[in-house]
Amino acid sequence: MKRSALHRWHEKAGATLAEENGWYVPLRYSNAEQEAGAVRGSVGICDLSHLHEPLSPYARFLIAGPNTRAVLSKLTSLNLDLTKAYGSVAHVRSLVTRHELGFLLMIPRDYAESVWESLLHAGEEFHITVFGLEASRRLEA
Amino acid sequence: MDIRFNGKAIPIQEGDTVASALYRAGQRIFTRSFKYHRPRGLLCCSGHCPNCLMNVDGIPNVRTCITPARAGMAVKHQNARPSLDFDYLAIAQQFDWMMPVGWYYKNFTNPRMWHLAEAQIRKVAGLGDPPPPDAPEAVYEHAHMQAGVAVIGAGPAGLNAAREAASQGERVVVVDDQPRTTPGDSSYTLLSRSYCFGLYEGNLLGVLQSEPHSGARERLVHIRAKRIVVATGAYEAPLTFKNNDLPGIMLSTAVWRLIHRHGIQPGTSAVIISNETGDSAIAAELRNVGIAVVATVPPSDVLEATGSKHVTGLRTRRGAFACDLVVMCGHRIPDAGLLSQAGAKLEWSAEAGAFVPTELPPNITAVGDVAHALVRAASTLVSMPNKRTFVCFCNDVTSQDICDSVAEGFDHIELLKRYTTTTMGPCQGRMCQLQAIGICARETGRAIQETGVTTSRPPNPGVTLGALGGARHHPIRRTPMHYQHEELGAVWMDMGDWKRPRYYKSAQTERESILREYHAVRQAVGVIDVSTLGKLSLKGRDSGKLLDKVYTNRFSDLKPGRVRYAVLCDEAGIILDDGTISRPLADARGYNTGDPGGTRSVAPSVSAGTIDDFFITTTTGNLDFVEQWLEWWLAGAGWDVQINNLTSALAAVNLAGPKAREVLSALTSCGLSNAEFPYMACRNAEVAGVPALLMRIGFVGETGWEIHYPAESGEHLWSALMDAGRPFGICPFGVEAQRLLRLEKRHVIVGVDTDALTSPYEAGMAWVVKHDKADFIGKFALGKLESAQAQQSLVGFTMNANQIPEDGAAILVNGALAGRVTSARYSPAVEKAIGLAWVTAGAAAEGAQIEIRVAGAPVRATVTQRVFYDPDGARLRM
């Protein structure tokens, strides 16, 4: 079974993990409805690394919710009005692209946990939440 | 609701700043001055002067007059002992004859004396104490904004400009340093309690915001704006006369603020110093709140203020007046520092009595008082030399000091600034600049325009170091097996951003743990995580050409299924990096049998490489450089090469030791015998069900395989190796054991054993340079170096006595310096300390005796060119 760079983080956070296309994926951390609500109300992050191409050097995060820009602007000087930008996010060269729910971040895999923690730290003032695939599907629906 | 001031409760009211609350409670002395410890009270009440700096909640030098008071704040005075009211260091005033301007330049010409004096001076002078190391860490953060228009200053002119820009559809940000929040207008974003400390290239503004939210003390906001509107207004600067620094002598704007913002009556009887004849506006204000206006006198008539800890009167040519408040209607000076930083010129306007900005650069505009200097110059009066007339309040520079400095020859305004330190304190010249220029002009007989103005540089005002540092988001790179190492007791070391296990704590001491790892590799089997190695894949039919051009050895003739050691030099023949280059096997169609981790079945796009593909490893620290170096030499060559950085995509381990084959054979169907998989061969195969590239190489000197495979299977394959190796006593080993193992094999680590002057010839690696190939980088220089007599060589040594030198230890021959140690360890194989060292040519012969400085004393050692362990490499081919 393939593991995202955040696998251990998810485990520690008490995520319910499931198998999807040969990967362990976090379905939810507590309650999908609450997670989706917290994202709609403020901001949340989700690990989508399992959606990557084979042999990708990147982890993928989705950051979504009305306070997305406020959180990202604490970690990057990239112009978030662009649809796609490449540059430093929490001091790590990353690719930031617009997503229907917010922004998709592609972070070099070995920096993934570091950037994830930075996002959570920067988002503290907005009560940032982590959300699993179930919540992300609700948000997309 | 109160704050604590030096432990005492001080009540606060709605809208109070720390300073206004203290003033209302009767505090009049707020600070003691920098040099003479003279009492100082509120002067500007707008955050421009140094007179109210205090320690608030452990942070020194907080401008209390613009810091909103919050219940529970702990406020302390600074730079006065024992108290503000009685400061025994005020005795310094009696010794002012000993401390003329530049006195430490004049007196402490002996460095030893200066070092003695320095510590004492630092205690007496200075601006508060930094927080103690054990103080709770304040939280700082950064943020970035892009704006159409950034407006600095939320006065009437600034807000007008903001509304106008917003109505044109621009995204507008307004920055204001005052504690109030301007009543709502949602068309723009207002950053209140924020000051702009610098204007940088590309319309970048540095803004410091206090308490952006409850979780952070300060936020440094980087604002990139298409257009910047400077509406910083004008500030009032003090007048100069004897004892002009006494508490109770305030700027008219400060008096206005205390009355209107804080409802405070700042005295009972006042003298106003103003050029305005008749009844001034401020006089009416004072009378309205019941302050008697004793007199209004022009600045030219003022002789001196009287009083010791507070003003008690003003002596003038019109007579002496008793009072407890002196209101200075001072010079109004455009706050044009940001404009000056943007490249505007400051020109003297005699009419305005101030330097005014002209020639604004494009996309910078100035509105309000900063642009149109008010014709309310109190006077262009320049004070005569006096030892109690203060020009610079921050650093206690008097008009006497300025005149003396000019007389001593420091007559250029920039020299004068550096010599006297006037304009160099916390106010950055706001209070003192005009006076200093005026005195300099008079004393040198030059015009003010000609005298000029000192340069404004950011940050102005100052910025806390914590805010510049920002949040603790130091990036950390973790390999896919990071947490497995942690579970195994890894003791970490930093390598760039990477965390690597230095060793695994398996015994009482570090040394025992490392030796255990060492013996496992030499006698059984060990495994080390080498995921930090740089990994690049090269595709395209000209890949071999590029490698031949960039590396010193030849790769175009590397047979599929083989690995070769690779050294990369610059044009001067200096070694920049080393690693391995492999050429995976191809099938009958000329296609690779799989890229490392190419997941053949899943991802045909990755495995669709051809026989032209190569796989490069670089050292951990040099990946970015090597990748750019290859791209650089590829650019414009017109060759068909695609470089792909797979470092983060692949995990890698090195399995080594006499039992390595047995462990690995349990996990793969790939033939591992010497016939099927010889030394320096590579194969693609599945290991524990994971597609992998295996290379049979031997950095540590034992039979072993380096295995590269997809990072998402990092933990899976590591666990499989540990499980399969358990019956053989497998032991994970860290960087420290690896360094010992390779040292016994005399393998060089680029950057540790080599430096910025090392060529392959001196490093004993002549064999990596292939002069018979077409041009390659460094060929010319290497040709010269080959025939030149090497000045120094990298040699091995064994210590005669049982002592281990430190890395970098000096080498002596006949008492003269003859080189340095690059690596040294105790070698269990040799049973002595061994190492690598640079020595001069004369000391490089086999068996030469050298001395190495260990703990200050020379210890004898013997030079050897031989490999310490398994010199024939038999164990690599077992």
Side-chain angles (χ1 to χ4, degrees), chain B residues 345-528:
Chain B
K345 272 197 183 143
L346 295 181
E347 268 181 25
W348 175 250
S349 157
E351 182 202 14
F355 282 89
V356 296
T358 60
E359 297 180 32
L360 298 187
N363 297 319
I364 310 269
T365 46
V367 298
D369 289 355
V370 69
H372 321 98
L374 304 174
V375 188
R376 209 209 77 184
S379 76
T380 47
L381 180 79
V382 171
S383 65
M384 296 312 284
N386 187 290
K387 286 163 88 170
R388 292 289 181 268
T389 298
F390 287 86
V391 174
C392 166
F393 284 60
C394 296
N395 293 344
D396 268 358
V397 182
T398 64
S399 56
Q400 180 76 52
D401 291 332
I402 304 242
C403 294
D404 289 349
S405 303
V406 174
E408 286 175 29
F410 299 95
D411 58 356
H412 188 281
I413 190 68
E414 293 285 359
L415 278 179
L416 186 68
K417 160 181 158 181
R418 283 155 181 77
Y419 187 60
T420 62
T421 71
T422 187
T423 77
M424 287 167 68
C427 90
Q428 287 286 291
R430 282 189 166 83
M431 297 292 107
C432 54
Q433 191 180 49
L434 196 57
Q435 242 340 285
I437 294 167
I439 298 174
C440 181
R442 184 193 63 209
E443 294 293 308
T444 56
R446 290 191 291 246
I448 287 190
Q449 176 64 45
E450 194 191 346
T451 302
V453 58
T454 56
T455 311
S456 168
R457 292 186 183 85
N460 177 12
V463 180
T464 46
L465 292 175
L468 290 175
R472 291 260 181 135
H473 289 154
H474 184 78
I476 297 173
R477 276 183 110 165
R478 295 177 176 90
T479 76
M481 293 82 96
H482 182 89
Y483 290 99
Q484 288 171 313
H485 302 320
E486 204 160 273
E487 286 156 6
L488 287 163
V491 175
W492 298 103
M493 68 182 283
D494 290 333
M495 221 181 239
D497 291 343
W498 288 105
K499 293 276 175 205
R500 293 197 71 184
R502 211 165 82 78
Y503 66 95
Y504 299 83
K505 192 163 168 50
S506 61
Q508 278 297 315
T509 66
E510 173 181 339
R511 191 181 133 82
E512 286 169 54
S513 300
I514 293 165
L515 279 178
R516 187 170 167 265
E517 294 169 19
Y518 166 89
H519 287 300
V521 177
R522 288 277 182 256
Q523 288 155 22
V525 59
V527 60
I528 181 169

Side-chain angles (χ1 to χ4, degrees), chain B residues 763-824:
Chain B
M765 299 195 290
W767 56 276
V768 302
V769 185
K770 303 292 183 225
H771 280 291
D772 58 344
K773 62 176 181 170
D775 191 30
F776 62 94
I777 295 160
K779 184 176 188 182
F780 180 77
L782 287 165
K784 294 267 182 199
L785 288 166
E786 187 183 23
S787 51
Q789 180 69 42
Q791 298 290 307
Q792 51 171 3
S793 323
L794 187 65
V795 298
F797 65 83
T798 53
M799 300 298 287
N800 297 4
N802 197 8
Q803 277 170 297
I804 308 169
E806 281 180 23
D807 294 354
I811 289 173
L812 308 169
V813 173
N814 300 325
L817 189 67
R820 65 184 172 87
V821 172
T822 61
S823 308

Side-chain angles (χ1 to χ4, degrees), chain B residues 704-725:
Chain B
W705 283 267
E706 196 169 281
I707 308 169
H708 294 257
Y709 60 102
E712 55 266 24
S713 300
E715 292 202 306
H716 169 75
L717 200 148
W718 177 272
S719 301
L721 285 171
M722 294 299 284
D723 289 344

Side-chain angles (χ1 to χ4, degrees), chain B residues 152 175 195-201 203-208 220-223 228 230 337-342 430 456-463:
Chain B
I152 317 300
V175 178
Y195 62 85
C196 180
F197 60 81
L199 195 158
Y200 301 85
E201 230 173 308
N203 279 4
L204 176 67
L205 294 166
V207 171
L208 195 74
L220 198 155
V221 190
H222 308 241
I223 302 178
I228 294 172
V230 177
L338 288 175
L339 293 169
S340 165
Q341 288 168 26
R430 282 189 166 83
S456 168
R457 292 186 183 85
N460 177 12
V463 180

Side-chain angles (χ1 to χ4, degrees), chain A residues 1-140:
Chain A
M1 286 277 274
K2 295 171 185 170
R3 295 177 173 196
S4 113
L6 292 171
H7 182 80
R8 296 291 191 121
W9 194 95
H10 298 323
E11 274 185 349
K12 252 185 271 176
T16 306
L17 295 160
E19 192 200 323
E20 205 160 285
N21 298 327
W23 286 75
Y24 282 114
V25 294
L27 287 183
R28 63 188 164 273
Y29 299 86
S30 54
N31 172 302
E33 193 49 53
Q34 278 173 15
E35 287 168 20
V39 174
R40 281 192 203 100
S42 182
V43 60
I45 49 175
C46 175
D47 179 15
L48 296 178
S49 298
H50 64 287
L51 295 178
H52 84 177
E53 289 141 34
L55 217 61
S56 164
Y58 294 108
R60 268 170 199 250
F61 306 158
L62 172 64
I63 176 165
N67 284 320
T68 291
R69 279 164 181 266
V71 173
L72 276 182
S73 72
K74 290 173 75 174
L75 300 174
T76 181
S77 61
L78 291 174
N79 186 346
L80 299 173
D81 293 337
L82 302 171
T83 50
K84 197 170 199 171
Y86 183 68
S88 165
V89 175
H91 308 295
V92 174
R93 271 182 291 170
S94 311
L95 184 67
V96 181
T97 46
R98 290 257 197 112
H99 181 274
E100 54 181 313
L101 295 177
F103 288 91
L104 204 59
L105 310 180
M106 290 178 65
I107 315 283
R109 204 195 132 94
D110 24 55
Y111 283 115
E113 190 178 330
S114 175
V115 174
W116 182 264
E117 293 282 1
S118 294
L119 285 164
L120 290 175
H121 183 257
E124 267 172 24
E125 62 170 305
F126 305 104
H127 308 287
I128 194 168
T129 186
V130 286
F131 64 101
L133 292 190
E134 287 179 356
S136 94
R137 278 166 198 147
R138 276 164 206 251
L139 289 164
E140 271 168 11

